[in-house]
Amino acid sequence: MASKISLEVNGAAVEIAVDDPAMPLLYALRNDLALKGPRFGCGLGQCGACTVIIDGEAVRSCVTTLEAAAGRKVTTLEGLGSPERPHPIQAAFIEHQAAQCGYCSNGMIMQAKAFLDRNKRPSDGEIRQALADNLCRCGTHIRVLAAIKLAAERIQRG
C-alpha cells in the first residue's frame, strides 16, 4: 500500500508516493523528481557521488531512506545554482576544470558546500580532510582543491 512522504527539495514542497518508505532518497530524487545531480556510485555510502545536503549536513542519499528525509529540507546540485547563474563553487569548478569525467563532481560540490557553510576560511588541509571520503578516479583532486579555495575566497568577499 502506497504512502506519501512530504519533504522540501530545493526550496519547493514535494510529496512522493512510495510503497516502501525505506527506499533510498537517491531513487526518489532521480526517479520521482527527475533530479540527475545526485549520482548512483557505490550504493553503499562510500564514494560520495550521491551526496545531497539535508538541513545543512552533507549526507549520502544512497543510504539515507526517503522516510528519514520526511519533513526536512533537501538541497541537490540543481538547488545551488543554474547554468546562467552558477553557485560560486560551481563557477570555480568550471573555471579550474575540476571535472574530468564529472561523475564525482556532484558529491565534491555538495560536500564542499556544506563544508564552506561551516568554515569560511579553510586551510588546504581542512579542505582535503572535508573531501577525504569523496572518491575520484580521474585524479582531479588538485583542481578540486584549487576550485574550493577560489570559491571560499569569493564567498568571503560576497
Side-chain angles (χ1 to χ4, degrees):
M1 181 172 180
S3 62
K4 292 185 178 182
I5 294 180
S6 299
L7 57 153
E8 184 180 310
V9 179
N10 298 332
V14 297
E15 192 172 77
I16 300 170
V18 293
D19 291 328
D20 181 4
M23 175 176 76
L25 174 62
L26 176 65
Y27 297 173
L29 295 172
R30 290 186 60 85
N31 300 336
D32 294 285
L33 302 177
L35 297 169
K36 305 302 183 190
R39 306 281 175 94
F40 183 88
C42 65
L44 302 170
Q46 297 175 346
C47 73
C50 65
T51 302
V52 298
I53 297 172
I54 298 179
D55 294 336
E57 296 293 324
V59 300
R60 308 297 205 227
S61 65
C62 71
V63 293
T64 300
T65 65
L66 180 58
E67 185 174 45
R72 300 175 75 187
K73 294 180 181 181
V74 178
T75 304
T76 70
L77 187 65
E78 293 87 347
L80 290 187
S82 66
E84 299 78 25
R85 197 158 181 221
H87 183 277
I89 298 171
Q90 294 169 312
F93 266 65
I94 293 167
E95 193 170 321
H96 278 280
Q97 299 180 1
Q100 191 163 344
C101 81
Y103 207 82
C104 70
S105 297
N106 170 75
M108 296 282 190
I109 290 170
M110 298 309 290
Q111 190 76 39
K113 169 73 169 90
F115 171 67
L116 292 178
D117 284 348
R118 292 188 316 274
N119 186 345
K120 306 289 185 208
R121 295 177 181 247
S123 67
D124 287 3
E126 290 170 327
I127 295 171
R128 285 189 175 103
Q129 182 62 39
L131 297 176
D133 292 332
N134 289 73
L135 304 180
C136 172
R137 294 183 177 171
C138 299
T140 61
H141 292 92
I142 300 300
R143 291 181 183 174
V144 168
L145 177 64
I148 294 172
K149 286 174 61 176
L150 176 62
E153 291 168 13
R154 288 182 175 163
I155 291 169
Q156 283 177 32
R157 286 184 288 192

